[in-house]
Amino acid sequence: MNPVTERELVDSYIRRGYWQDRTLGDFISTRAQAEGDRIALVDQRDALTYRELDDAAGRVAGLLAQKGVEKGDRVMLQMKNSVWHVVSFLGIAKAGAIPIMALCAHRLRELGSFAERAEPTAFIVNEAHQGIDYPAMAREVQARFPGMKTILTFDDIVRAARQASPLDAAAIAARRPAFTDIGLLTCSGGSTNIPKLIPRRHADYLYDAETFAAFLGMNRNDAFMIALPASHNFVLGNPGILGTLSVGGTVVLCENPSPDEILPMIEEHRVTGISLVPAVLSAVLETLSWDDSYDLSSWRMTLVGGSVLEEQLARKAMLMLPSTLHQVFGTAEGINFCTAADDPEEVVIASQGKAISEADEWKIVDENLNEVPRGASGELIARGPYTIQHYYRAPEAEGSFTDDGFYRTGDRAHVAPNGYLVVEGRITDQINRGGEKIVPSELEGYLAELPSIEEVQVVGVPDELLGQRVCAFAIGGSDGFSPASANSHLASLGVASHKRIDQVELIDMWPLTAVGKIDRKRLVEWAQASRNQTNRQL
Ligand code: OOB
């Protein structure tokens, strides 16, 4: 393998025209000039035209500057889906700062770890929402990281977007980063305990969003719904919010990924496309099976990704939805695969399609990083104009990349005879619970603190609804060890709300492999058998 420097790759993406000299801040100004009074964003309460969005972002940038946020500073963003999320994101960009895209599910553990890595100087946060006092949580982070001088809430942003003095053109120009600089930090699902931050550059992120939108044939008549958390890559830029804005379409933001919010909004805003994880798709189909009163005639494409889409669910979606189904295999680190609108039905059901850019390089390799014969299983590794070559301030994670700049996805996959990618599952123990990624050893560490438990192992168990559910096996656990007690312990430790235990099993001895390691495969079988037995008894 030839070591390739990052510089060489960067130069080649610029030379070949994939990266253009523009930033996320430039992007919204250019889009506003082109689209003017067309609606850019709409949510359950508010709507903004392209011009209003650009203006609001400029005012939020003005507020940030007034609060002392400087060019290149990091700003934590934790906000529910609404037009103000996008205003904040682009406002941070216009101020020449770098947003850290936290999810509403993140709690003190994750926020603290992001703050430690990225040293943000400001935090834009929800008001208290769905029982969580977000501003109080932000203040706790601030108490630990005093470099975080400013906390701005949702209400501060809405007010600033209407009233604050905008940054003038000279100030925006003075703060403008290079197009090769980091434009945003997104969160990795992670294969290590410490969540890593993913540095995406201005030019790479815009290239990704536009390439994906072009792949799907999106245009200004599209109204694309964002129902998953807006800070997640899938809906932020694949093609999501930025892809839709890049073609002059309308972004429809839905606060919660629940069918009774999604379906009325599809009807009201004549939505044409949506991105879903399989668990949400399943809930939508369930609702449609007993309520067919919605006018869904505008809906032309459904993207499903984030975790394995079971064949049965894919077939049901094809049958019940008015739209084309696309499978998406994506990563926050970059590389995206997608099935095309004209792919045969069996391809869409059984594969994740092709890489979205002609410049994506990818292969399936064995543990020595040698390419396996066509059709054989191995690890998917990828390199290209929108895939990272290292994590943010995380030298310990260099093993996630090869010497020649390929990102090691940690996913087991093979290439079907027709050339399409088929993802089989994780190589590591990482659990994919409804699209949310969970590392067993992290939860094991927390649960081991419980006095009632001697030893604990956490495994992912196949689950019809979630793809995988989380099962904790304990030795020495008393009857008091239950999903409820485990989860209240996790909540008290400030662990993200999606990292939860669905099933608990108490055992006396670990099953061991031939070499004496804990046999985790056997644990998964036991968890399945135990659940089946419970179901039979019910
Ligand atoms: C998306 O991004 P992340 O960073 O939360 O998770 C990436 C991981 C992949 O490495 C893979 O393990 C899993 O999620 N995954 C899938 C999948 N799509 C993603 N596993 C099986 N089948 C699929 N279709 O999840 C993400 C980012 C951008 C677009 C779409 C998804």
Side-chain angles (χ1 to χ4, degrees), residues 232 234 238 306-308 328-332 352 411 426 432 437:
H232 191 279
F234 189 11
N238 294 284
S307 70
V308 173
V328 179
F329 167 86
T331 65
Q352 285 69 48
D411 291 304
R426 295 292 301 174
N432 189 326
K437 317 301 177 323

Side-chain angles (χ1 to χ4, degrees), residues 6-7 9-27 71 93 96 98 172-173 175-184 199-208 385-386:
E6 198 170 343
R7 189 72 246 166
L9 289 171
V10 165
D11 287 345
S12 92
Y13 300 139
I14 298 171
R15 199 176 53 246
R16 290 148 73 198
Y18 297 117
W19 289 6
Q20 288 161 29
D21 186 356
R22 62 203 175 127
T23 66
L24 289 161
D26 302 340
F27 168 77
K71 175 180 174 179
I98 302 169
I172 291 179
R175 288 168 169 265
R176 186 183 182 275
F179 66 101
T180 48
D181 284 348
I182 300 171
L184 66 160
R200 299 288 302 259
R201 303 169 196 254
H202 290 273
D204 103 58
Y205 212 63
L206 288 169
Y207 172 76
D208 187 0
Y386 61 94

Side-chain angles (χ1 to χ4, degrees), residues 37-68:
D37 293 329
R38 289 174 57 82
I39 298 290
L41 307 174
V42 54
D43 65 20
Q44 275 122 321
R45 273 163 292 273
D46 296 295
L48 294 177
T49 66
Y50 276 82
R51 218 190 306 277
E52 287 167 341
L53 170 58
D54 186 39
D55 180 71
R59 291 176 193 275
V60 168
L63 174 67
L64 290 170
Q66 189 202 323
K67 296 284 180 192

Side-chain angles (χ1 to χ4, degrees), residues 412 424-429 431 440 444 457-462 468-469 471 473 503 505 507 509-530:
R412 184 180 301 286
E424 300 163 14
R426 295 292 301 174
I427 289 169
T428 59
D429 289 336
I431 301 171
E444 286 162 4
Q457 290 285 311
V458 169
V459 291
V461 184
Q468 279 184 304
R469 64 176 180 269
C471 179
F473 278 87
Q503 184 180 353
E505 299 292 336
I507 55 174
M509 251 168 49
W510 296 120
L512 298 180
T513 63
V515 290
K517 287 193 195 168
I518 294 178
D519 188 346
R520 297 173 59 84
K521 275 202 191 119
R522 186 79 73 79
L523 290 178
V524 174
E525 289 164 14
W526 285 2
Q528 280 173 298
S530 160

Side-chain angles (χ1 to χ4, degrees), residues 367-400:
E367 54 276 17
N368 299 319
L369 299 175
N370 295 319
E371 202 160 350
V372 300
R374 178 79 170 242
S377 284
E379 182 179 7
L380 171 67
I381 66 173
R383 173 171 89 173
Y386 61 94
T387 299
I388 57 165
Q389 275 100 43
H390 56 78
Y391 287 103
Y392 183 71
R393 297 184 178 174
E396 80 281 4
E398 285 310 310
S400 299

Side-chain angles (χ1 to χ4, degrees), residues 212 224 228 234 274-282 285 299 301-310 313-314 317 321 323-330 337-339 348 351-352:
F212 214 141
F224 200 87
L228 304 175
F234 189 11
I274 188 167
S275 296
L276 297 172
V277 290
V280 178
L281 171 69
S282 171
L285 296 183
W299 187 354
M301 60 181 170
T302 305
L303 278 56
V304 183
S307 70
V308 173
L309 176 62
E310 295 297 339
L313 186 57
L321 297 181
S323 63
T324 316
L325 183 69
H326 297 266
Q327 283 217 44
V328 179
F329 167 86
F337 286 75
C338 188
T339 59
V348 177
S351 86
Q352 285 69 48

